[in-house]
Amino acid sequence: MTMHRRNKRAGLTAVTAVVAAAAAAALIPFYGSASTPKPKTESIVYDPGPKQRCYSVSDEAGGKNYGNRSTDCKNIDNANRVNSRCTWFGYTSRRGVECPAWRFVTYNWDESKLRKYPGFDHQVQGPSGSPLKLVLQNNSRNLKTAQNKQNCELKEVTFSYEYIGSSLKRPAGGGVYQFSDGRVNVAYDALVKQSGGFSCSEKRAILTTDFIYKTARGTNVISVVHFDPGSFMKPNADGVLWTNKCRTGAGKPDGCRVTIHGQRLQPGKKSRISLDFTAIAEKYAKYLGNDPIPKKSQIESVQIVNSAKGADLKAEVSRADVTLTK
């Protein structure tokens, strides 16, 4: 009986101690969460979506601009978007001349092939103010050369955020965003579909997200492939499809370029692409000169590229954004 009473008393004492400790803890302020600031994420493009028809169309290989649309530019007027060098765009706000907020870029397509087959197209669908659907059409499967042979040149149709100050925001106080300013994420909805097969030895019908940033060495490009039905290149042991080894074709030091597979798209199925380019750069550091994110590493552009050789490929893009988390 004595032993029983001692055990019962010990149990009560333990319970009392726990309750007292809990009560005391409740009286002590907790400073841990208050002293650690929460990460802040912000969009670094003026027109995420995009939602506004404020764009141009450019031929990269030909070095010319062949289309402008400034209907909605007034909706994103901003003092940082003023740039006197954009008089060619034809939009002037009360603050001054402003540039496009985004653009379509074509490569190796002549304007005479616009909206023809074989040929290319770029369309903007939907009401302004809501996320627009951008259609990138790239049809070269039956494209012939002047000698009536299959044309196997690289053809591209691209959506691009690339004008610093008018497309890409400037940080508070001016300047430019550096890749080293925080974690950079690119996200968008995409649907892609190939029609027919391949007409060239390189079975290229791919959709990529390209992140481009300038370093002291040169311009770095990280290209992530999301759709690749023809397996246009074989990856190496590290999963790298292609790299320039940070050198020009002549062997001189240059910016680093690397192409890898990433989140995969299924044909005809709309999916959300989300890419942490900070993590990707860190993973493939040795292909980026072992200095993947230099302190001085100016963000130049983000592009979604429909790229083909002797193939017909259609892509739809919407709800795009580029964010930085500090």
Side-chain angles (χ1 to χ4, degrees):
M1 294 295 293
T2 304
M3 181 67 74
H4 177 72
R5 284 196 300 270
R6 287 182 62 191
N7 286 345
K8 186 176 181 181
R9 180 68 180 174
L12 290 170
T13 302
V15 170
T16 302
V18 170
V19 172
L27 297 173
I28 300 173
F30 180 63
Y31 294 106
S33 60
S35 62
T36 305
K38 293 182 179 179
K40 180 182 178 183
T41 298
E42 63 176 319
S43 174
I44 60 170
V45 293
Y46 282 106
D47 186 19
K51 297 179 180 180
Q52 310 298 336
R53 286 173 166 84
C54 182
Y55 65 91
S56 67
V57 185
S58 301
D59 172 4
E60 183 178 351
K64 65 178 182 178
N65 180 77
Y66 64 88
N68 299 319
R69 185 75 181 270
S70 59
T71 309
D72 303 327
C73 291
K74 60 184 179 299
N75 298 329
I76 47 175
D77 284 347
N78 187 288
N80 287 332
R81 299 190 67 247
V82 173
N83 188 333
S84 61
R85 292 178 295 178
C86 286
T87 52
W88 56 268
F89 181 50
Y91 177 72
T92 303
S93 71
R94 60 186 177 82
R95 297 181 177 89
V97 171
E98 295 187 21
C99 297
W102 52 276
R103 70 172 176 165
F104 289 118
V105 183
T106 65
Y107 181 76
N108 267 351
W109 277 116
D110 187 89
E111 189 182 349
S112 64
K113 294 294 184 181
L114 178 62
R115 298 191 175 95
K116 294 181 180 179
Y117 185 87
F120 71 104
D121 198 4
H122 35 69
Q123 298 179 14
V124 182
Q125 299 177 358
S128 297
S130 61
L132 301 168
K133 180 168 72 175
L134 310 182
V135 181
L136 312 175
Q137 191 79 52
N138 195 7
N139 296 332
S140 61
R141 186 166 65 94
N142 293 306
L143 185 66
K144 303 298 182 181
T145 65
Q147 292 74 36
N148 202 34
K149 295 181 179 180
Q150 172 62 43
N151 188 317
C152 289
E153 290 180 326
L154 173 64
K155 305 289 184 182
E156 292 182 342
V157 183
T158 298
F159 161 68
S160 180
Y161 284 123
E162 64 181 78
Y163 292 90
I164 294 174
S166 58
S167 182
L168 296 169
K169 291 181 179 178
R170 295 190 185 277
V176 297
Y177 278 108
Q178 307 289 331
F179 190 13
S180 55
D181 285 343
R183 302 197 74 84
V184 176
N185 184 274
V186 175
Y188 59 95
D189 291 346
L191 183 149
V192 64
K193 185 177 181 180
Q194 181 186 10
S195 300
F198 296 92
S199 299
C200 299
S201 57
E202 182 182 315
K203 296 180 179 180
R204 183 185 187 110
I206 65 175
L207 186 77
T208 70
T209 307
D210 293 0
F211 179 71
I212 303 169
Y213 61 106
K214 186 181 292 184
T215 71
R217 184 186 183 102
T219 299
N220 286 5
V221 182
I222 302 173
S223 185
V224 183
V225 179
H226 306 295
F227 186 74
D228 183 16
S231 299
F232 81 111
M233 287 187 177
K234 292 183 178 180
N236 68 10
D238 294 326
V240 171
L241 296 166
W242 179 83
T243 176
N244 70 340
K245 299 180 180 179
C246 304
R247 295 189 175 276
T248 65
K252 295 182 179 179
D254 194 14
C256 306
R257 302 190 174 202
V258 59
T259 301
I260 59 169
H261 273 135
Q263 183 180 343
R264 300 295 185 97
L265 289 167
Q266 297 300 315
K269 181 180 179 181
K270 186 165 84 169
S271 301
R272 185 72 175 167
I273 296 291
S274 183
L275 298 164
D276 182 340
F277 273 101
T278 300
I280 294 170
E282 291 169 346
K283 180 178 180 179
Y284 294 97
K286 73 178 184 180
Y287 296 93
L288 296 167
N290 288 314
D291 189 15
I293 309 174
K295 185 175 181 180
K296 295 294 184 182
S297 47
Q298 177 178 312
I299 299 173
E300 289 281 296
S301 64
V302 172
Q303 300 185 334
I304 301 167
V305 186
N306 176 336
S307 177
K309 287 185 178 181
D312 293 350
L313 187 65
K314 178 182 179 180
E316 298 177 358
V317 174
S318 61
R319 296 178 61 231
D321 203 358
V322 183
T323 58
L324 188 145
T325 302
K326 297 183 179 181

